[in-house]
């Protein structure tokens, strides 16, 4: 048992922290107000290698491990959730799904440009009529010769208007006996004819990000773009969520830290009844809880990172980490607002943005209710991990870093 | 082009530095590479890239100075050397200059030696010129741009009055200011390389010099007097009224 981060991990943390603090923190409020993504963000994260952090060098990545991915997510979300969302969909939903299930040709064609940050990826599962209930999706694909023809609409898709490629799960066999066998997953070029998309405005949070819809009308997708086999889409999607959830949990840990740091700073400055408010026990209680939740959330997420490195299945542990960290981040932001009093209620301080941003993660990538069902399923012995046809490869530094 | 860049590990600028029992203390605040030295590393790397050279990063300090060295390696320096010796504990800038000059000589055939303009802990800002003096090289300080042509270097110095262009023959010593341009972040590839690097440690014996005697002593270290600041918001119905009230207050307080 070893709880220490390596020197490499600490350098990764520092590098990503410097980028987010120096380049994004000074302008984030402005873009949050405008409900726009800062135009330089994707390009800079690509240039710096952050978008390809945990992919093997041979696939255009930076050769770091899965713990580094989580640490980067935490550092990014300390500054703004929208930065971490990029990692969740580009790396979590798109990239690692190709790494796990993709053929060598698919990896060369799609993973390499994604890992290099030359192309942006997203994951499109949710629809206007179905989110949690993935097996009830409506968007469908019909085989025609060498291609499939896609029709339908995806909704609430992060980076909908920024991405070049989407990992999309659709119905290919409406008559399959098992509902989950109805689905297949594709990687779709979003510049294809028949694709239209737009952003949703008026969101509570993640306003400096892109969340939108993607409509497919008779979109031809080459059959070789199917990820996994026909009827395997449910499994592919669930593993994509495992990875997405890890990035969400690790990121939420960053909100707890940001809320804690802001609260400590303010509580030491603000006085009431003749002393800094940090000396009031009821304020200390909130601060202690944030500090404790940060520690718990971080340990849970680091454990998932470690399991990924070992090549261990981690659906349950990822569920613990995601649910705990996202709920604790909302609570931390809420308490941070309370500590800031009326100032916390205005966007002069950052803590109201933390609250708005934290809220979404309790819904997306599997709501807290769905996480509870997963956890109960394992606890009651009703749910067991079965071997998958393709497992996410364990981290092997030599393999990852070989040119 | 053979380049050396000298860096120092210092307490983070956000650390609260206090005098405790006659000693300087920064509690458990993290140590970082001196922020000015990052500009020096950036300048060294840019010069190396433009003139096909190598950059060796050198630090004098304890074991923890390896972190500053690794940061510079992760930014792209080719190799690193730590100079560490128990006899160097109480050394002053002049002694540091003798040690660094000896290291630069031992590395051999160095064309350019880069420094940050000052270290944010001691804030003396004279190690670069002292090192140049020991080496017998010209010192081009406060450099904002550096242009090398053959064995001549032209530097724009960023001084209070404006910019001053100076030139000299190589080898030479340079100290860098912020105007040079933002230092790059370490790359992931650099981080991987740096975290694996075995950094050689040179002692005074390796450099072939005696421990330099300090000429500057720190007989007393005290905390600055506590400032008692109270904040008052000046109110009024219009900017004019507020300004007038503020002027009255300033006059009443005899600030002006
Ligand atoms: C900011 C943001 C970004 C997003 N990004 C993406 C993205 O990139 N890609 C993508 O595919 N989707 C994305 N989503 C969509 C998100 O994943 C879904 O909103 C989520 O899965 C929930 O689905 P739903 O909204 O359709 O709610 P529903 O599934 O309709 O659920 C409604 C409510 O019922 C609860 N519920 C549902 N089933 C059960 C049950 N069996 N037991 C108890 N309670 C239940 C849910 O927890 C929820 O509280 C995003 C959403 C947001 C807000």
């Amino acid at each position: 048992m070893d709880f220490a981060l390596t020197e490499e991990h600490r350098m990764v943390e520092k590098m990503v922290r410097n980028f987010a603090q120096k380049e994004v923190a000074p302008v984030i409020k402005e873009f949050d107000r405008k409900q726009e993504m800062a135009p330089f963000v994707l390009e800079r994260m690509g240039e710096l290698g952050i978008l390809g952090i945990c992919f093997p060098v041979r696939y255009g990545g930076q050769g770091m491990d899965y713990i580094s991915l989580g640490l980067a997510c935490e550092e990014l979300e300390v500054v703004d959730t929208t930065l971490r969302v990029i990692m969740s969909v580009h790396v979590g939903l798109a990239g690692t799904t190709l790494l796990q299930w993709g053929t060598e040709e698919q990896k060369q064609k799609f993973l390499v440009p994604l890992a290099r940050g030359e192309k942006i990826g997203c994951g499109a599962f949710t629809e206007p009529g179905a989110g949690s209930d993935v097996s009830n999706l409506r968007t469908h694909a019909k085989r025609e010769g060498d291609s499939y023809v896609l029709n339908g609409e995806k909704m609430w898709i992060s980076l909908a208007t920024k991405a070049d490629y989407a990992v999309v799960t659709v119905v290919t066999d409406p008559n399959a006996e098992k509902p989950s066998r109805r689905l297949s997953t594709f990687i779709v070029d979003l510049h294809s004819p028949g694709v239209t998309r737009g952003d949703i405005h008026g969101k509570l949070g993640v306003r400096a990000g892109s969340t939108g819809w993607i409509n497919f009308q008779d979109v031809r997708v080459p059959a070789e773009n199917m990820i996994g086999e026909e009827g395997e889409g449910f499994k592919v999607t669930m593993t994509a969520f495992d990875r997405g959830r890890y990035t969400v949990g690790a990121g939420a840990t960053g909100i707890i830290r940001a809320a804690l740091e802001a609260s400590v700073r303010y509580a030491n400055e603000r006085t009431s009844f003749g002393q800094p408010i940090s000396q009031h026990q009821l304020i200390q209680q909130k601060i202690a809880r944030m500090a404790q939740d940060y520690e718990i959330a971080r340990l849970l997420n680091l454990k998932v990172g470690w399991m990924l490195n070992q090549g261990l299945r981690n659906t349950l542990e990822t569920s613990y980490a995601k649910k705990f960290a996202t709920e604790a981040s909302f609570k931390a932001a809420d308490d941070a607002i309370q500590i800031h009093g009326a100032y916390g209620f205005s966007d002069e301080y950052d803590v109201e943005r933390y609250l708005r941003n934290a809220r979404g993660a309790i819904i997306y990538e599997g709501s807290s209710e769905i996480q509870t069902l997963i956890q109960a399923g394992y606890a009651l012995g009703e749910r067991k991990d079965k071997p998958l046809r393709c497992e996410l490869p364990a981290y092997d530094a030599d393999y990852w870093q070989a040119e | 082009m053979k380049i050396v860049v000298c860096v120092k590990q210092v307490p983070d600028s956000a650390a609260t530095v206090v005098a405790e029992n006659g000693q300087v203390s920064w509690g458990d605040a993290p140590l970082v590479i001196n922020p000015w030295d990052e500009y020096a590393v950036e300048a060294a790397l840019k010069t190396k890239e433009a003139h096909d050279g190598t950059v060796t990063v050198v630090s004098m300090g304890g074991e923890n100075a390896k972190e500053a060295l690794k940061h510079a390696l992760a930014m792209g320096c080719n190799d690193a050397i730590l100079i560490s010796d128990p006899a160097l504990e109480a050394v002053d800038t002049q002694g540091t200059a003798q040690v660094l000059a000896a290291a630069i000589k031992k590395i051999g055939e160095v064309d350019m030696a880069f420094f940050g303009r000052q270290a944010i802990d001691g804030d003396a800002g004279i190690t670069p010129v002292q090192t140049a003096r020991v080496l017998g090289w010209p010192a081009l300080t406060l450099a904002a741009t550096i242009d090398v042509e053959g064995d001549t270097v032209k530097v724009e110095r960023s001084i209070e009055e404006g910019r001053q262009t100076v030139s000299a023959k190589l080898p030479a010593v340079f100290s860098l200011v912020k105007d040079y341009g933002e230092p790059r972040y370490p790359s992931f590839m650099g981080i991987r390389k740096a975290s694996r690097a075995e950094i050689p440690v040179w002692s005074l014996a390796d450099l072939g010099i005696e421990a330099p005697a300090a000429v500057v002593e720190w007989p007393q270290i005290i905390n600055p007097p506590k400032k008692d600041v109270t904040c008052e918001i000046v109110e009024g119905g219009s900017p004019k009224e507020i300004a007038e009230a503020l002027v009255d207050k300033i006059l009443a307080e005899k600030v002006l």
Side-chain angles (χ1 to χ4, degrees), chain A residues 89 93 123-126 130-133 155-158 206 211 363-367 369-370 373:
Chain A
V89 304
L93 298 182
F125 309 107
T126 308
S132 310
D133 190 3
M155 183 78 174
W156 299 110
I157 306 309
S158 306
V206 289
T211 318
I363 301 169
Y364 57 68
E365 299 262 11
S367 65
E369 287 80 2
I370 295 301
L373 295 182

Side-chain angles (χ1 to χ4, degrees), chain A residues 77 81 255 326 329-330 333 353-362:
Chain A
E77 194 149 0
T81 300
I255 296 195
T326 55
S329 74
F330 186 71
R353 182 163 46 85
Y354 300 160
L355 182 93
R356 291 188 287 104
N357 282 347
R359 189 63 187 83
I362 303 173

Side-chain angles (χ1 to χ4, degrees), chain A residues 6-7 166 192 254 335 353:
Chain A
T6 62
E7 192 169 20
S192 310
D335 281 348
R353 182 163 46 85

Side-chain angles (χ1 to χ4, degrees), chain A residues 3 103 125 192 208 220 234 257-258 281 297 309 359 382 400:
Chain A
F3 283 99
T103 61
F125 309 107
S192 310
R220 274 194 179 272
F234 187 81
R257 191 175 102 207
Q281 282 190 357
N309 279 354
R359 189 63 187 83
E382 289 163 5
W400 248 246

Side-chain angles (χ1 to χ4, degrees), chain B:
Chain B
M1 181 72 67
K2 206 158 163 187
I3 300 168
V4 165
V5 55
C6 299
V7 303
K8 186 177 185 186
Q9 179 90 334
V10 297
D12 191 294
S13 56
T16 322
V17 180
V18 292
E20 256 174 31
N21 312 322
Q23 295 283 326
V24 180
S25 162
W26 48 88
D28 54 5
L31 292 165
V32 297
I33 183 170
N34 174 38
W36 294 105
D37 297 347
E38 283 192 78
Y39 293 91
V41 175
E42 178 63 31
L45 293 174
K46 282 247 176 71
T47 312
K48 154 189 138 160
E49 285 153 8
H51 300 280
D52 205 17
T54 60
V55 178
T56 302
V57 54
V58 176
S59 186
M60 187 189 91
E63 187 65 20
N64 60 19
K66 279 192 178 164
E67 249 183 77
L69 291 171
K70 292 208 164 182
H71 184 86
L73 283 176
M75 285 173 76
C77 294
N78 298 77
D79 40 37
I81 296 162
L82 175 68
I83 305 162
S84 204
D85 198 302
L88 289 171
E89 220 143 78
V91 76
D92 60 5
T93 59
Q94 209 178 91
T96 305
Q98 286 172 39
V99 171
L100 292 177
I104 289 167
K105 277 194 213 143
K106 184 173 157 78
I107 292 167
E109 291 170 19
V110 173
D111 302 291
M112 305 172 90
F114 288 77
F115 292 76
R117 69 171 291 172
Q118 67 202 72
I120 63 163
D121 53 354
D123 268 333
I126 47 178
T127 307
V129 281
Q130 287 173 320
T131 308
R133 167 88 179 144
V134 179
L135 288 166
W137 294 359
L140 310 178
T141 55
L142 310 181
T145 67
I146 296 172
D147 286 305
V148 182
E149 255 195 66
D151 63 348
T152 307
V153 60
K154 205 164 81 183
V155 161
E156 255 187 46
R157 302 181 66 228
S158 187
I159 55 177
E160 253 174 48
E161 295 79 7
R163 290 281 176 107
Q164 181 185 49
T165 307
V166 295
S167 70
K169 292 264 179 243
L170 294 179
V173 167
F174 305 81
S175 82
L176 272 292
V177 292
K178 276 189 185 162
D179 296 3
Y180 186 83
E182 277 299 302
R184 65 195 68 188
Y185 307 116
S187 67
F188 290 113
M189 210 217 273
I191 289 174
R192 290 196 328 245
K193 200 185 115 192
S195 67
R196 264 169 229 171
E198 291 289 335
I199 296 178
V201 182
W202 289 358
S203 64
L204 286 174
D206 293 322
L207 292 177
I209 58 171
E210 300 278 313
V215 288
V216 177
E217 283 173 36
W218 294 27
Q220 195 191 11
I221 300 167
I222 50 168
N223 289 310
K226 258 217 160 79
K227 282 190 212 141
D228 204 2
V229 184
T230 51
C231 175
E232 191 187 330
I233 310 270
V234 180
E235 314 229 16
S238 66
K240 186 161 178 273
E241 254 177 53
I242 298 173
E244 280 167 5
L246 180 63
V247 168
D248 290 345
K249 283 224 181 289
I250 290 173
L251 292 174
E253 293 279 334
K254 301 196 170 60
V255 180
L256 289 175

Side-chain angles (χ1 to χ4, degrees), chain A residues 270-316:
Chain A
R270 180 78 176 179
T271 57
S272 79
F273 302 97
Q275 52 183 344
I277 60 169
S278 61
Q279 296 311 303
H280 302 312
Q281 282 190 357
L282 289 174
I283 298 294
Q284 291 182 354
Q285 186 183 40
K286 298 187 211 314
I287 287 177
R289 172 160 175 167
M290 286 181 218
Q292 174 192 269
D293 284 358
Y294 174 66
E295 183 71 12
I296 299 171
R298 186 151 156 121
L299 285 173
L300 288 173
N301 279 291
L302 285 171
K303 180 172 173 191
V304 175
W306 174 81
M307 291 180 85
L308 285 163
N309 279 354
Q310 304 298 315
L312 301 170
R313 280 285 282 287
N314 50 70
T315 304
L316 175 61

